[in-house]
Amino acid sequence: MQYSKNTIAKALFLAPLPLLFCMALFFIVVNREYSLYAISVVFFGHLLVYLVYCILIVPFTFLLSLLLNRYHALNLLTICISAFVFATPFFMLLGWAHTGTVSSEWWKMYSDIITILMVLLPSACYWLFLMRFNTKKIQQRINFSNYSFISTM
């Protein structure tokens, strides 16, 4: 299936939002801090993570998605595989920002199920957004062609 550049870009920018929103709600509930200040700090921290994602990850994944799209290989499997490839340096950078050191056994980060889910959920969301935006365009084309067919009669 072919996707437009606009569809790919919109899907890439929206893909991590469900995970970030769920994680923000999880932090708020687990910490039992319901003041406006605590909630705004949590959402601001997640906004910073989203900005880092947009600056560091989106340009490379956009180029890779365009390449895969050109060869009709942009599907759920290739999205998940490329997500693991791009998540590794992102998680290493995030770990370095929190602790100040990079783990010598960085490959063990994927032995934790939470880390795997943090990679697969945005991947699945990206694929679902691609499907949703593409079906909208197909429905618009069908509706438009129906109207043009009726007007020619």
Side-chain angles (χ1 to χ4, degrees), residues 36-56:
L36 186 59
Y37 175 74
I39 292 171
S40 62
V41 166
V42 168
F43 279 110
F44 182 72
H46 283 80
L47 178 68
L48 288 177
V49 171
Y50 180 71
L51 289 175
V52 168
Y53 164 81
C54 289
I55 293 169
L56 295 179

Side-chain angles (χ1 to χ4, degrees), residues 1-3 65-75 78:
M1 191 175 291
Q2 287 285 82
Y3 306 100
S65 294
L66 287 178
L67 180 71
L68 291 172
N69 188 37
R70 181 180 175 96
Y71 295 109
H72 300 283
L74 187 58
N75 55 33
T78 57

Side-chain angles (χ1 to χ4, degrees), residues 88-99:
T88 302
F90 186 73
F91 285 147
M92 290 173 66
L93 180 69
L94 205 59
W96 173 76
H98 281 289
T99 61

Side-chain angles (χ1 to χ4, degrees), residues 141-153:
R141 287 181 192 155
I142 290 172
N143 289 339
F144 182 70
S145 65
N146 287 343
Y147 291 131
S148 63
F149 177 71
I150 292 171
S151 65
T152 59
M153 291 182 133

Side-chain angles (χ1 to χ4, degrees), residues 4 24 41 48 62-63 67 83 108 111 119 126 134:
S4 69
V41 166
L48 288 177
F62 181 72
L63 292 175
L67 180 71
K108 288 189 177 180
S111 64
V119 173
Y126 174 50
N134 202 33

Side-chain angles (χ1 to χ4, degrees), residues 74-148:
L74 187 58
N75 55 33
L76 183 60
L77 179 65
T78 57
I79 290 170
C80 290
I81 291 170
S82 62
F84 278 108
V85 169
F86 285 109
T88 302
F90 186 73
F91 285 147
M92 290 173 66
L93 180 69
L94 205 59
W96 173 76
H98 281 289
T99 61
T101 61
V102 176
S103 176
S104 60
E105 298 178 337
W106 58 269
W107 58 89
K108 288 189 177 180
M109 75 174 103
Y110 291 120
S111 64
D112 185 22
I113 191 72
I114 300 297
T115 308
I116 294 172
L117 289 176
M118 285 176 60
V119 173
L120 290 180
L121 182 65
S123 302
C125 290
Y126 174 50
W127 182 71
L128 288 172
F129 283 130
L130 278 176
M131 294 290 116
R132 176 68 180 143
F133 293 143
N134 202 33
T135 55
K136 272 183 162 179
K137 286 189 176 189
I138 291 172
Q139 287 175 354
Q140 287 174 353
R141 287 181 192 155
I142 290 172
N143 289 339
F144 182 70
S145 65
N146 287 343
Y147 291 131
S148 63

